[in-house]
Amino acid sequence: MGYTENLCMNCFEPLTAGCICRNCGFDNDSVTDTLFLPRRTILAKRYIVGNAISVENDSVVYIGYDTERNAAVTIREFLPGGICNRLEGNNDVHVRERYRKNFSGYKQSFIKLWKTLKGLNSLSAVIPVLDIFEENETAYAVCEKMDSVSLHDFLIRSTDNSILWDKARLMFMPILTTIEALHENGIAHGAINPDNLVLCRDGKVRLAGFCISECNEASSELGFKPAAGYTALEQYDNSHMICPATDIYAFSACIYRALVGTNPPEAPARAVNDKLMIPNSIAERIPAHVIRALGGGLQIYAENRIQCVEDFRELLSAAPSVVANSVNAASAVSEPDEKKDDKADDIKKNSKKQIKAILAVAVSVAVLAAAVFCVVHFSKGESNAPETTAPPVAEAAKVTVPDFCKAGYTESDIKNQASWNSQFKITFQSEYSKDVEEGLIFEQSVKAGDEVEQGTGIVLTISKGIETVTVPDVGGKSKDDAVKTLEDEGFRVSVVTIYNDDNDTPDTVRRRNGMAPAAGEEIAKGDEVVIQVYGETVTEPTSENE
């Protein structure tokens, strides 16, 4: 495969003027980040690795070349940042000690995801998957390379940053079949947004940006990158499960963006003020049944949202006659829109007044009951009546201790829960934890499910997150000094002996790129640091005549 020396590693066109590609302008002599595979690496005895073109939550994506098909491809390498890296000169992925068990599970999720996607190659909105294999202590997925432009870029080039429904319908409706098939195979995309919907040269819109499900929620140790306006509320709150309705929210937000010309408000903001306004001038151009579908798909809470793609598709594709009938039926028993809005406001106001009145009565009754209890209790205490006439002493009320750890509660969640604070005397303490996200409760002094007396004290332990330490620079130090320095900071140390060509002092740490993680990085206390130490000088043997 020596002919690849004359190919650009960014577009795989022939190099005709040195290292700078005339076709794409890429400098083929530029330095590759040590995290990435070196350009021209051969994988599976078939694929040539080119330039790294993107870094995702769970992987690095390279442009590549399939020598059997003689065609450009994309090569996705499972390489989640933060939990693994590479030592210089070694293609194997180096996993940090405390993540090794999780890495194995994540890798299997990666393989399962891409094998499932390969089985869906017949769907029109999927970029074909060509190969999945393991190598270099990690896994790879190879996909057909398709020239495309993202929906985001397409829309910003459109008039008013938007398109009409007639055009949007042709773009979006075929994708629903693919999303439905994914859900039937147990896959929620979790990151649908205008950057991950791509318009390909063949005229089809396809779904890109897949990553393993563990990347799609805020509690992930793999890194979570919400797409403002498109990420559903349940992905910010790890006490809720990601589900098919999560994708329906994101897909609805993409349609909203295409028709309205702006992103929907971010989900956390909508949780406080759930108003999703469409300007009248734009709403007039959108069919009523599409607005209804978007209203159902963009419900802020997953349980109130449209739950399956089939139902969402039916709403989006409603025939005009069906919509007209539903509107006529509704108008037969209701006032015009303005009056309906006024009446709705009146109903809300009256309801609020009724609720306040009921609450006021309830509070008054409770206060009165408490007063009566106190009068009766203390008057009986002062009574001279014989003991035989006194009521039996009631046992203290028993309450069941909830599981404060399982649901990912925070301190504010507990403080805002009035019933728990009336049942228990709750206090808090904080400790570092390698396994629990900062701010979450992970330990309670009384076991969940125990029956205890009301007012029992419970101490809840809140995670301070991982105790991190800055890796000191031990480059150039002797091996013993370096090991001691790192161990004193709380790290575990592994030593790798490297070749010494007589230019370096034996038993000293390599000065440049001699540590993994690198000096200056913040990592968890107790994690492993690998140092590269020069071995004994290697010299050529001398002849007897010299």
Side-chain angles (χ1 to χ4, degrees):
M1 298 184 186
Y3 66 89
T4 63
E5 295 296 328
N6 296 319
L7 294 180
C8 171
M9 289 293 106
N10 191 56
C11 66
F12 288 95
E13 291 295 320
L15 291 171
T16 58
C19 63
I20 306 296
C21 178
R22 285 189 174 181
N23 181 58
C24 68
F26 180 70
D27 182 358
N28 284 264
D29 282 349
S30 59
V31 178
T32 304
D33 190 309
T34 55
L35 178 66
F36 305 146
L37 284 170
R39 294 191 283 266
R40 295 187 172 82
T41 297
I42 305 299
L43 294 175
K45 300 179 180 180
R46 171 178 176 179
Y47 304 105
I48 303 169
V49 175
N51 191 39
I53 54 178
S54 69
V55 178
E56 312 295 342
N57 284 358
D58 66 351
S59 54
V60 172
V61 182
Y62 306 89
I63 186 71
Y65 193 81
D66 182 352
T67 59
E68 291 186 10
R69 295 172 67 247
N70 291 320
V73 293
T74 59
I75 303 171
R76 183 177 293 265
E77 178 183 45
F78 180 62
L79 193 69
I83 72 173
C84 60
N85 53 19
R86 274 194 170 89
L87 298 178
E88 187 177 7
N90 192 338
N91 288 349
D92 287 350
V93 170
H94 174 77
V95 183
R96 294 182 180 176
E97 179 67 25
R98 77 183 190 90
Y99 294 115
R100 284 180 182 170
K101 183 178 179 181
N102 290 354
F103 180 87
S104 178
Y106 295 147
K107 184 172 75 171
Q108 292 309 309
S109 294
F110 179 88
I111 293 170
K112 180 181 178 182
L113 168 65
W114 289 97
K115 282 186 175 179
T116 302
L117 291 175
K118 187 178 181 183
L120 300 175
N121 276 352
S122 60
L123 295 172
S124 64
V126 168
I127 296 175
V129 181
L130 304 174
D131 201 0
I132 302 106
F133 58 91
E134 294 186 59
E135 198 169 327
N136 299 328
E137 303 297 328
T138 189
Y140 297 86
V142 181
C143 297
E144 186 175 320
K145 183 183 181 299
M146 308 193 81
D147 293 331
S148 62
V149 61
S150 70
L151 175 64
H152 171 268
D153 290 343
F154 173 80
L155 290 173
I156 62 177
R157 297 172 190 169
S158 303
T159 305
D160 298 329
N161 288 328
S162 63
I163 56 178
L164 296 177
W165 170 244
D166 286 346
K167 188 172 185 178
R169 179 175 59 82
L170 297 175
M171 295 170 60
F172 285 105
M173 294 302 286
I175 304 172
L176 285 172
T177 301
T178 296
I179 297 174
E180 186 174 30
L182 292 173
H183 293 171
E184 289 172 353
N185 283 273
I187 296 174
H189 187 287
I192 298 174
N193 63 66
D195 287 322
N196 288 334
L197 290 173
V198 295
L199 287 69
C200 299
R201 189 181 291 274
D202 61 4
K204 295 179 180 179
V205 180
R206 289 180 166 84
L207 188 55
F210 286 93
C211 59
I212 61 175
S213 61
E214 290 88 346
C215 294
N216 291 327
E217 51 190 22
S219 60
S220 173
E221 64 185 2
L222 301 182
F224 173 64
K225 299 176 183 176
Y230 303 92
T231 301
L233 185 66
E234 58 267 24
Q235 295 176 267
Y236 293 88
D237 183 353
N238 63 1
S239 64
H240 294 81
M241 293 292 291
I242 294 175
C243 59
T246 304
D247 284 343
I248 291 173
Y249 183 93
F251 193 69
S252 299
C254 289
I255 298 176
Y256 177 98
R257 165 66 184 88
L259 299 180
V260 178
T262 60
N263 293 339
E266 292 187 62
R270 292 188 60 213
V272 178
N273 180 13
D274 190 16
K275 288 186 178 180
L276 196 61
M277 306 299 293
I278 300 178
N280 288 336
S281 59
I282 295 174
E284 290 172 356
R285 306 193 317 239
I286 305 174
H289 67 279
V290 174
I291 292 179
R292 290 191 185 93
L294 294 181
L298 286 169
Q299 287 292 316
I300 190 66
Y301 295 106
E303 59 268 24
N304 299 331
R305 207 176 299 149
I306 298 171
Q307 296 297 304
C308 68
V309 171
E310 182 180 1
D311 291 345
F312 187 59
R313 184 192 291 110
E314 287 184 4
L315 286 173
L316 277 178
S317 58
S321 59
V322 174
V323 176
N325 289 337
S326 65
V327 171
N328 291 336
S331 63
V333 293
S334 60
E335 297 85 6
D337 288 344
E338 291 183 2
K339 291 183 178 180
K340 282 195 291 183
D341 291 342
D342 291 340
K343 187 171 182 179
D345 289 340
D346 290 339
I347 290 171
K348 289 180 180 178
K349 289 177 182 178
N350 291 335
S351 297
K352 288 181 179 179
K353 288 179 181 178
Q354 290 174 354
I355 292 170
K356 288 180 179 178
I358 292 169
L359 289 174
V361 171
V363 171
S364 300
V365 171
V367 171
L368 180 60
V372 171
F373 171 78
C374 291
V375 170
V376 172
H377 178 75
F378 287 112
S379 63
K380 285 184 178 179
E382 294 172 356
S383 172
N384 293 321
E387 287 186 8
T388 53
T389 61
V393 177
E395 293 185 4
K398 295 280 188 179
V399 287
T400 303
V401 177
D403 190 341
F404 294 105
C405 306
K406 184 177 181 181
Y409 291 119
T410 64
E411 182 175 352
S412 61
D413 292 334
I414 304 302
K415 287 182 175 179
N416 291 331
Q417 180 58 266
S419 61
W420 288 340
N421 287 281
S422 64
Q423 292 172 341
F424 311 103
K425 184 179 179 181
I426 299 175
T427 56
F428 302 89
Q429 65 180 19
S430 298
E431 291 182 7
Y432 287 109
S433 171
K434 287 187 176 182
D435 305 312
V436 181
E437 181 185 350
E438 183 178 359
L440 300 183
I441 294 166
F442 69 97
E443 195 174 281
Q444 56 192 77
S445 60
V446 182
K447 190 170 67 175
D450 282 1
E451 294 285 333
V452 298
E453 291 185 3
Q454 188 163 324
T456 296
I458 298 178
V459 180
L460 302 181
T461 304
I462 301 168
S463 172
K464 293 167 66 176
I466 298 171
E467 184 177 7
T468 60
V469 184
T470 302
V471 178
D473 188 355
V474 296
K477 288 191 174 187
S478 70
K479 180 184 75 173
D480 291 342
D481 285 348
V483 170
K484 184 177 186 308
T485 299
L486 292 167
E487 287 181 344
D488 286 347
E489 292 293 335
F491 300 116
R492 291 179 296 104
V493 184
S494 292
V495 178
V496 176
T497 303
I498 60 175
Y499 177 79
N500 189 346
D501 61 1
D502 202 20
N503 289 324
D504 299 282
T505 305
D507 245 15
T508 61
V509 179
R510 182 178 182 174
R511 289 186 178 278
R512 184 176 177 274
N513 297 323
M515 304 170 59
E521 282 193 35
E522 288 281 334
I523 67 172
K525 189 174 184 178
D527 270 8
E528 179 187 46
V529 176
V530 179
I531 57 174
Q532 299 180 40
V533 176
Y534 290 108
E536 294 296 324
T537 302
V538 177
T539 57
E540 295 293 332
T542 57
S543 65
E544 293 180 0
N545 296 328
E546 292 181 341

PDB file of all heavy atoms in Angstrom, residues 514-528:
ATOM      1  N   GLY A 514       6.207  12.300  28.362  1.00  0.00           N
ATOM      2  CA  GLY A 514       6.660  11.119  29.095  1.00  0.00           C
ATOM      3  C   GLY A 514       5.703  10.664  30.175  1.00  0.00           C
ATOM      4  O   GLY A 514       6.036   9.768  30.954  1.00  0.00           O
ATOM      5  N   MET A 515       4.518  11.288  30.240  1.00  0.00           N
ATOM      6  CA  MET A 515       3.552  10.941  31.288  1.00  0.00           C
ATOM      7  C   MET A 515       2.156  10.817  30.688  1.00  0.00           C
ATOM      8  O   MET A 515       1.786  11.534  29.774  1.00  0.00           O
ATOM      9  CB  MET A 515       3.526  12.033  32.372  1.00  0.00           C
ATOM     10  CG  MET A 515       4.860  12.320  33.004  1.00  0.00           C
ATOM     11  SD  MET A 515       4.772  13.794  34.052  1.00  0.00           S
ATOM     12  CE  MET A 515       3.509  13.292  35.228  1.00  0.00           C
ATOM     13  N   ALA A 516       1.399   9.880  31.236  1.00  0.00           N
ATOM     14  CA  ALA A 516      -0.008   9.749  30.848  1.00  0.00           C
ATOM     15  C   ALA A 516      -0.811   9.428  32.111  1.00  0.00           C
ATOM     16  O   ALA A 516      -0.565   8.398  32.732  1.00  0.00           O
ATOM     17  CB  ALA A 516      -0.189   8.649  29.812  1.00  0.00           C
ATOM     18  N   PRO A 517      -1.727  10.326  32.511  1.00  0.00           N
ATOM     19  CA  PRO A 517      -2.068  11.615  31.907  1.00  0.00           C
ATOM     20  C   PRO A 517      -0.899  12.600  31.984  1.00  0.00           C
ATOM     21  O   PRO A 517       0.018  12.436  32.780  1.00  0.00           O
ATOM     22  CB  PRO A 517      -3.246  12.099  32.755  1.00  0.00           C
ATOM     23  CG  PRO A 517      -3.779  10.888  33.431  1.00  0.00           C
ATOM     24  CD  PRO A 517      -2.596  10.006  33.668  1.00  0.00           C
ATOM     25  N   ALA A 518      -0.965  13.633  31.164  1.00  0.00           N
ATOM     26  CA  ALA A 518       0.128  14.588  31.068  1.00  0.00           C
ATOM     27  C   ALA A 518       0.200  15.479  32.299  1.00  0.00           C
ATOM     28  O   ALA A 518      -0.788  15.663  33.020  1.00  0.00           O
ATOM     29  CB  ALA A 518      -0.052  15.450  29.819  1.00  0.00           C
ATOM     30  N   ALA A 519       1.384  16.035  32.536  1.00  0.00           N
ATOM     31  CA  ALA A 519       1.568  16.981  33.638  1.00  0.00           C
ATOM     32  C   ALA A 519       0.596  18.149  33.482  1.00  0.00           C
ATOM     33  O   ALA A 519       0.384  18.653  32.392  1.00  0.00           O
ATOM     34  CB  ALA A 519       3.002  17.486  33.655  1.00  0.00           C
ATOM     35  N   GLY A 520       0.026  18.562  34.601  1.00  0.00           N
ATOM     36  CA  GLY A 520      -0.912  19.682  34.585  1.00  0.00           C
ATOM     37  C   GLY A 520      -2.363  19.277  34.486  1.00  0.00           C
ATOM     38  O   GLY A 520      -3.257  20.082  34.747  1.00  0.00           O
ATOM     39  N   GLU A 521      -2.645  18.029  34.112  1.00  0.00           N
ATOM     40  CA  GLU A 521      -4.037  17.568  34.031  1.00  0.00           C
ATOM     41  C   GLU A 521      -4.604  17.361  35.429  1.00  0.00           C
ATOM     42  O   GLU A 521      -3.893  16.998  36.371  1.00  0.00           O
ATOM     43  CB  GLU A 521      -4.141  16.257  33.248  1.00  0.00           C
ATOM     44  CG  GLU A 521      -4.054  16.415  31.757  1.00  0.00           C
ATOM     45  CD  GLU A 521      -4.482  15.149  31.027  1.00  0.00           C
ATOM     46  OE1 GLU A 521      -5.408  14.467  31.523  1.00  0.00           O
ATOM     47  OE2 GLU A 521      -3.893  14.831  29.990  1.00  0.00           O
ATOM     48  N   GLU A 522      -5.910  17.608  35.550  1.00  0.00           N
ATOM     49  CA  GLU A 522      -6.623  17.339  36.802  1.00  0.00           C
ATOM     50  C   GLU A 522      -7.246  15.958  36.702  1.00  0.00           C
ATOM     51  O   GLU A 522      -8.124  15.726  35.863  1.00  0.00           O
ATOM     52  CB  GLU A 522      -7.716  18.393  37.015  1.00  0.00           C
ATOM     53  CG  GLU A 522      -7.216  19.768  37.378  1.00  0.00           C
ATOM     54  CD  GLU A 522      -6.831  19.872  38.857  1.00  0.00           C
ATOM     55  OE1 GLU A 522      -7.384  19.102  39.664  1.00  0.00           O
ATOM     56  OE2 GLU A 522      -5.986  20.711  39.183  1.00  0.00           O
ATOM     57  N   ILE A 523      -6.820  15.025  37.534  1.00  0.00           N
ATOM     58  CA  ILE A 523      -7.399  13.683  37.517  1.00  0.00           C
ATOM     59  C   ILE A 523      -7.748  13.258  38.943  1.00  0.00           C
ATOM     60  O   ILE A 523      -7.354  13.908  39.920  1.00  0.00           O
ATOM     61  CB  ILE A 523      -6.443  12.657  36.867  1.00  0.00           C
ATOM     62  CG1 ILE A 523      -5.182  12.459  37.722  1.00  0.00           C
ATOM     63  CG2 ILE A 523      -6.067  13.079  35.463  1.00  0.00           C
ATOM     64  CD1 ILE A 523      -4.304  11.312  37.230  1.00  0.00           C
ATOM     65  N   ALA A 524      -8.465  12.170  39.038  1.00  0.00           N
ATOM     66  CA  ALA A 524      -8.938  11.708  40.345  1.00  0.00           C
ATOM     67  C   ALA A 524      -7.773  11.219  41.202  1.00  0.00           C
ATOM     68  O   ALA A 524      -6.862  10.539  40.721  1.00  0.00           O
ATOM     69  CB  ALA A 524      -9.955  10.595  40.168  1.00  0.00           C
ATOM     70  N   LYS A 525      -7.837  11.579  42.461  1.00  0.00           N
ATOM     71  CA  LYS A 525      -6.848  11.081  43.408  1.00  0.00           C
ATOM     72  C   LYS A 525      -6.961   9.561  43.476  1.00  0.00           C
ATOM     73  O   LYS A 525      -8.047   9.013  43.581  1.00  0.00           O
ATOM     74  CB  LYS A 525      -7.110  11.689  44.791  1.00  0.00           C
ATOM     75  CG  LYS A 525      -6.016  11.424  45.808  1.00  0.00           C
ATOM     76  CD  LYS A 525      -6.280  12.186  47.091  1.00  0.00           C
ATOM     77  CE  LYS A 525      -5.148  12.016  48.092  1.00  0.00           C
ATOM     78  NZ  LYS A 525      -5.394  12.792  49.328  1.00  0.00           N
ATOM     79  N   GLY A 526      -5.826   8.892  43.388  1.00  0.00           N
ATOM     80  CA  GLY A 526      -5.836   7.434  43.393  1.00  0.00           C
ATOM     81  C   GLY A 526      -5.761   6.822  42.013  1.00  0.00           C
ATOM     82  O   GLY A 526      -5.567   5.621  41.871  1.00  0.00           O
ATOM     83  N   ASP A 527      -5.904   7.661  40.962  1.00  0.00           N
ATOM     84  CA  ASP A 527      -5.797   7.136  39.608  1.00  0.00           C
ATOM     85  C   ASP A 527      -4.353   6.770  39.285  1.00  0.00           C
ATOM     86  O   ASP A 527      -3.406   7.176  39.961  1.00  0.00           O
ATOM     87  CB  ASP A 527      -6.288   8.175  38.595  1.00  0.00           C
ATOM     88  CG  ASP A 527      -7.779   8.038  38.330  1.00  0.00           C
ATOM     89  OD1 ASP A 527      -8.427   7.246  39.032  1.00  0.00           O
ATOM     90  OD2 ASP A 527      -8.287   8.742  37.437  1.00  0.00           O
ATOM     91  N   GLU A 528      -4.208   6.025  38.206  1.00  0.00           N
ATOM     92  CA  GLU A 528      -2.881   5.583  37.775  1.00  0.00           C
ATOM     93  C   GLU A 528      -2.236   6.623  36.865  1.00  0.00           C
ATOM     94  O   GLU A 528      -2.881   7.192  35.994  1.00  0.00           O
ATOM     95  CB  GLU A 528      -3.004   4.255  37.022  1.00  0.00           C
ATOM     96  CG  GLU A 528      -1.683   3.712  36.492  1.00  0.00           C
ATOM     97  CD  GLU A 528      -1.878   2.485  35.616  1.00  0.00           C
ATOM     98  OE1 GLU A 528      -2.776   2.513  34.746  1.00  0.00           O
ATOM     99  OE2 GLU A 528      -1.137   1.511  35.785  1.00  0.00           O
TER     100      GLU A 528
END
